[in-house]
């Protein structure tokens, strides 16, 4: 966030103010997540791509990316979607354009295509953050989840990336991300140890969730019936000894409480549709990537100006419904986003008399046609 404000102060301030006001209208988002690829070289157990995804698959074209990016001019760009970014033949052309326009750039990869040539391009284009999706800590656990992957190849690729990054003294951050599920919950302490073995800067994770047609019934964490006390204890020790930064507190909180509401945050606020947007490779504008199968779309950014979509009646109704009752939106009920911390920050700001006046003047009024039913969105 600090880097975003430095690089794009006007965009960041306007987007922050929109989030603070949370009225039906919003300024252009400071964060753009646009899908670079909906094609993948793996068939991961928990991914909807190979489990009944209905929308079409393909790659983001540079000409379409530029059309949208130049309208929004985001401070932060995430090029991750439901596929593998390195399969997109124009991925580095896209990155170069974003970097030329001072955006922070991040994308996730399964690291199978992280060979010498791609490592060189990553460092030359100065990608800010590359996140590596690794869901096992040994050959058996990894390859039983990430079907088609090779654990030893992934480890070698990651080590080469970190080594080359360090040799060139590049500033690219290397993160590691895992999806915790019934098949790998016992590996949680080892994920943190693996991050140190690979030399990455940061490690985090999430629980497996429902995405699209894939309900992940066989992968849900609650299917794990054995005691988790030992896993939690070992994980805390691993965190204390870790060299990498570790962001797994929400996972530990959930494992200790085993409370779905605590993890899925059905009653917690979400302000993402005021400062962030997700666009599929073929242009469909979604509130976030939880709408992975275009469950909720507001328009197509390749067919009409993004500004016309960003504050059309449909997205304004969605924002107000999200404020009124998050639980009434089906895809939001299974989400782990909890922006209570932002709400607390808003309260501090509104104690300032002038800001209190602005907040009062722009108090959001929920339109009468917004009802707590999914089909109203």
């Amino acid at each position: 966030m600090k880097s975003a404000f430095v690089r794009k102060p006007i965009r960041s301030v306007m987007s922050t103010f929109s989030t603070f006001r949370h009225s039906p209208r919003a300024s252009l988002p400071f964060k753009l997540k646009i899908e670079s690829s909906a094609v993948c070289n793996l068939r991961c157990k928990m991914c909807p791509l190979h489990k009944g995804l209905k929308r079409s698959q393909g790659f983001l074209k540079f000409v379409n990316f530029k059309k949208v990016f130049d309208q929004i001019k985001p401070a932060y760009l995430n090029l991750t979607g439901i596929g593998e970014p390195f399969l997109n033949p124009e991925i580095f052309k896209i990155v170069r354009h974003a970097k030329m326009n001072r955006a922070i750039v991040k994308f996730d990869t399964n690291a199978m295509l992280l060979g010498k040539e791609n490592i060189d391009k990553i460092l030359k284009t100065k990608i800010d953050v590359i996140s590596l999706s690794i869901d096992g800590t040994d050959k058996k656990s990894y390859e039983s989840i990430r079907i088609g992957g090779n654990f030893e190849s992934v480890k070698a690729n990651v080590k080469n990336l970190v080594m080359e990054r360090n040799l060139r003294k590049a500033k690219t951050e290397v993160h590691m991300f895992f999806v915790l599920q019934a098949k790998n919950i016992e590996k949680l302490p080892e994920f943190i140890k693996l991050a140190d073995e690979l030399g990455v800067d940061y490690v985090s994770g999430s629980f497996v969730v429902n995405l699209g047609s894939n309900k992940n019934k066989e992968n849900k964490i609650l299917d794990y019936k054995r005691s988790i006390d030992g896993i939690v204890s070992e994980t805390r020790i691993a965190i204390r000894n870790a060299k990498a930064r570790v962001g797994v507190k929400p996972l530990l909180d959930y494992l200790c409480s085993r409370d779905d509401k605590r993890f899925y945050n059905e009653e917690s606020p979400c302000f993402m549709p005021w400062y962030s947007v997700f666009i599929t490779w073929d242009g469909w504008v979604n509130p976030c990537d939880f709408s992975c199968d275009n469950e909720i779309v507001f328009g197509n950014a390749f067919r009409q100006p993004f500004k016309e979509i960003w504050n059309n009646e449909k997205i304004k109704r969605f924002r107000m419904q999200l404020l009124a009752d998050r639980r009434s939106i089906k895809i939001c009920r299974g989400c782990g986003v909890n922006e209570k911390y932002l709400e607390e920050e808003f309260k501090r700001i509104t104690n300032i008399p002038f800001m209190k006046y602005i907040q009062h003047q722009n108090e959001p009024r929920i339109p009468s046609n917004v009802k707590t039913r999914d089909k109203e969105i």
Side-chain angles (χ1 to χ4, degrees):
M1 285 293 294
K2 291 179 181 178
S3 299
F5 272 92
V6 169
R7 297 191 194 187
K8 294 286 186 77
I10 296 176
R11 165 65 62 246
S12 300
V13 168
M14 290 175 64
S15 196
T16 301
F17 188 62
S18 287
T19 309
F20 160 68
R21 286 176 57 194
H22 44 263
S23 64
R25 292 183 60 84
S27 67
L28 290 174
F30 98 95
K31 178 181 178 180
L32 168 62
K33 188 167 188 176
I34 188 166
E35 184 176 57
S36 58
S37 170
V39 179
C40 194
N41 52 332
L42 300 185
R43 302 180 304 283
C44 301
K45 288 282 188 180
M46 63 289 179
C47 180
L49 186 59
H50 305 286
K51 296 281 187 176
L53 192 76
K54 297 174 184 177
R55 66 179 171 94
S56 59
Q57 299 174 28
F59 300 114
L60 175 67
K61 294 181 179 179
F62 174 76
V63 63
N64 288 330
F65 165 77
K66 187 177 184 300
K67 181 189 299 182
V68 174
F69 181 92
D70 290 352
Q71 291 177 65
I72 301 175
K73 294 183 172 62
Y76 178 91
L77 172 69
N78 190 322
L79 290 166
T80 304
I82 210 161
E84 169 56 46
F86 284 130
L87 290 174
N88 186 328
E90 295 189 294
I91 186 64
F92 288 105
K93 188 176 181 180
I94 290 169
V95 170
R96 282 191 290 270
H97 182 76
K99 293 297 295 181
M100 283 173 56
N101 287 275
R102 294 175 56 78
I104 295 170
V105 179
K106 172 186 181 290
F107 65 71
D108 298 56
T109 173
N110 58 44
M112 280 295 295
L113 302 176
L114 201 60
K116 184 177 180 181
E117 183 179 350
N118 279 333
I119 288 174
D120 182 60
K121 289 179 180 178
I122 288 168
L123 301 177
K124 281 184 176 178
T125 53
K126 300 181 180 180
I127 291 174
D128 296 271
V129 180
I130 183 161
S131 181
L132 313 162
S133 299
I134 305 174
D135 299 315
T137 58
D138 53 45
K139 184 177 179 66
K140 182 179 179 180
S141 62
Y142 172 85
E143 294 180 11
S144 67
I145 294 173
R146 293 200 161 256
I147 308 300
N150 183 293
F151 183 67
E152 294 305 322
S153 294
V154 166
K155 282 183 64 177
N157 290 345
V158 176
K159 286 182 177 179
N160 288 339
L161 170 62
V162 172
M163 181 181 67
E164 194 64 28
R165 188 272 309 266
N166 293 343
L167 284 174
R168 300 190 193 189
K169 297 182 179 180
K171 295 182 178 180
T172 298
E173 283 215 2
V174 181
H175 295 185
M176 190 176 99
F177 185 87
F178 57 88
V179 179
L180 203 65
Q181 48 201 281
K183 287 188 174 182
N184 65 9
I185 184 174
E186 294 180 346
K187 303 293 184 181
L188 181 54
E190 294 178 31
F191 278 118
I192 297 165
K193 296 175 184 177
L194 178 62
D196 279 346
E197 179 188 341
L198 298 178
V200 305
D201 306 299
Y202 178 74
V203 57
S204 63
S206 176
F207 285 119
V208 68
V209 295
N210 297 345
L211 282 176
S213 300
N214 190 8
K215 304 306 178 186
N216 275 310
K217 292 180 179 179
E218 72 277 15
N219 300 319
K220 288 293 179 66
I221 198 71
L222 290 179
D223 291 343
Y224 185 81
K225 304 299 183 184
R226 294 164 57 190
S227 172
I228 60 170
D229 293 343
I231 296 172
V232 171
S233 177
E234 289 180 33
T235 301
R236 286 177 172 157
I237 293 171
I239 292 172
R240 286 198 296 270
N241 295 330
K243 296 177 183 177
R245 305 192 310 276
V246 182
V248 298
K249 185 178 183 300
L251 301 185
L252 292 181
D253 287 347
Y254 175 72
L255 288 175
C256 290
S257 67
R258 299 299 286 268
D259 181 354
D260 276 351
K261 286 187 177 180
R262 186 165 184 173
F263 176 67
Y264 292 120
N265 300 309
E266 292 180 0
E267 299 176 3
S268 301
C270 172
F271 303 107
M272 288 181 66
W274 282 266
Y275 67 84
S276 177
V277 67
F278 173 62
I279 302 177
T280 60
W281 71 273
D282 49 354
W284 293 105
V285 177
N286 292 254
C288 71
D289 53 0
F290 237 69
S291 178
C292 74
D293 210 359
N294 286 339
E295 289 90 343
I296 300 175
V297 295
F298 306 121
N300 192 295
F302 299 163
R303 302 176 187 174
Q304 66 183 115
F306 179 81
K307 291 180 180 180
E308 293 180 5
I309 299 171
W310 186 238
N311 280 307
N312 65 21
E313 289 304 311
K314 191 171 185 181
I315 195 170
K316 287 193 290 186
R317 288 198 303 271
F318 178 83
R319 290 179 182 130
M320 291 301 95
Q321 185 166 344
L322 191 61
L323 283 180
D325 185 3
R326 172 172 167 173
R327 292 169 299 181
S328 69
I329 306 172
K330 187 176 181 180
I331 65 167
C332 296
R333 290 200 295 264
C335 174
V337 170
N338 180 352
E339 296 190 319
K340 188 73 176 176
Y341 70 96
L342 281 180
E343 193 171 63
E344 294 301 320
E345 290 298 322
F346 296 155
K347 288 178 181 178
R348 294 182 185 180
I349 295 171
T350 52
N351 287 331
I352 303 171
F354 177 68
M355 299 306 289
K356 186 180 292 186
Y357 170 78
I358 292 176
Q359 181 74 353
H360 176 73
Q361 292 295 104
N362 297 284
E363 193 70 30
R365 292 174 175 81
I366 299 171
S368 59
N369 62 342
V370 172
K371 301 178 182 178
T372 56
R373 295 202 306 268
D374 297 326
K375 66 180 182 181
E376 290 294 331
I377 300 169

